[in-house]
Amino acid sequence: MSKINLCPSMMCADFTKLDLEIQDLEQAGVDLLHMDIMDGNFVPNFALGLEDYISVNRLTHLPLDAHLMIENPIRHVKLFAEAGAQIIYIHPEADRFPLTTLEKIKDYGCKAGIAINPETSIEMVSELLPHIDGVIIMTVNPGFAGQRFIESMDKKIKQVCALRKENEFTFEIGLDGNISPQRIKKYKNIGINNFVLGTSAIFGKEQSYAEIVTELRNL
Ligand code: DX5
Ligand code: ZN
């Protein structure tokens, strides 16, 4: 089994002490910082914007992704590519020509991925699968931390793993939304690569980030 990537969701971090938060996460040994960008339009909330993105990137050597929960991502992918994203995820539902956007992301030198909402079936995005480096399966409706895992997503998670295997696709698969230690334990064994850690796994706990990450590595 390949190593899993633990990806703290920075919208859940305490921005009043951002440098300390990042330092603690780095020392704990996380793999990538998950950056949720929300426009208050595609999703009913606002989260990190470009300035936050640039600040976080300045404060860390860790790679950053960009999970764009915004309408018409094609208009904005360049900004996040220039801000240093290693991989940019778009929601195909938010874009008229998602394949064009994915190609554009790659032209800017980034990896390109899609994030799929609970009500978006894998059949609806199947044409995109040969073109992506990563997929995030949303296991809650995007927009807010602290929601409940949608159990029926289990089928979709297994379906995407099977499709990847059958077609020998090389994209990574990530899960985002109410990802608890128990779920990491369950899904790392079926081939999930990336886990977004929010309030369910790492933020707002009694234990230190280092203790939590050690436990997650030893599941
Ligand atoms: C949105 C975010 C949230 C959240 C996940 O894309 O990534 O889903 O921070 O953390 P939980 O659900 O554990 O609070
Ligand atoms: Zn996210």
Side-chain angles (χ1 to χ4, degrees):
M1 191 173 47
S2 54
K3 179 184 168 282
I4 57 166
N5 293 312
L6 301 175
C7 315
S9 172
M10 295 308 288
M11 70 174 271
C12 302
D14 184 347
F15 266 63
T16 64
K17 47 171 186 158
L18 184 60
D19 46 355
L20 259 180
E21 288 278 75
I22 291 175
Q23 205 179 308
D24 285 353
L25 289 167
E26 279 187 353
Q27 281 170 7
V30 303
D31 300 290
L32 172 147
L33 302 181
H34 179 74
M35 300 291 287
D36 286 310
I37 316 297
M38 299 185 192
D39 66 353
N41 193 13
F42 178 67
V43 287
N45 196 10
F46 294 96
L48 311 176
L50 187 61
E51 294 305 318
D52 306 305
Y53 201 95
I54 292 168
S55 300
V56 171
N57 203 21
R58 275 205 195 127
L59 289 168
T60 188
H61 296 295
L62 288 169
L64 265 54
D65 66 7
H67 177 190
L68 301 185
M69 283 160 277
I70 62 177
E71 290 290 351
N72 294 311
I74 194 161
R75 290 193 197 152
H76 307 293
V77 286
K78 187 165 184 255
L79 292 174
F80 291 93
E82 287 171 354
Q86 186 198 65
I87 178 163
I88 300 178
Y89 296 95
I90 60 160
H91 277 264
E93 310 93 346
D95 213 332
R96 203 145 165 230
F97 302 108
L99 188 51
T100 307
T101 308
L102 292 168
E103 294 304 335
K104 207 169 165 177
I105 293 170
K106 290 186 206 167
D107 288 346
Y108 294 136
C110 303
K111 291 184 181 172
I114 57 170
I116 47 179
N117 273 348
E119 59 272 86
T120 301
S121 70
I122 201 66
E123 287 79 9
M124 284 160 84
V125 297
S126 63
E127 299 299 336
L128 302 175
L129 298 182
H131 303 276
I132 57 171
D133 302 298
V135 56
I136 290 178
I137 301 171
M138 294 305 303
T139 47
V140 301
N141 272 308
F144 299 92
Q147 302 181 78
R148 194 182 297 171
F149 189 90
I150 302 172
E151 293 295 343
S152 58
M153 292 302 106
D154 182 67
K155 190 171 155 223
K156 193 197 279 181
I157 296 167
K158 289 173 180 154
Q159 195 188 356
V160 177
C161 290
L163 260 176
R164 177 174 65 177
K165 201 169 175 198
E166 271 165 39
N167 295 280
E168 297 180 359
F169 291 137
T170 53
F171 57 76
E172 293 188 351
I173 307 174
L175 301 182
D176 187 1
N178 194 196
I179 299 306
S180 60
Q182 293 73 16
R183 292 207 172 89
I184 296 173
K185 187 174 181 182
K186 172 174 177 185
Y187 288 114
K188 74 175 188 170
N189 290 323
I190 67 158
I192 299 299
N193 313 95
N194 304 323
F195 295 91
V196 175
L197 312 178
T199 59
S200 314
I202 196 164
F203 291 102
K205 308 286 182 202
E206 301 271 294
Q207 289 166 289
S208 69
Y209 297 151
E211 287 166 339
I212 292 172
V213 168
T214 304
E215 281 184 17
L216 296 176
R217 296 274 184 222
N218 291 324
L219 283 171

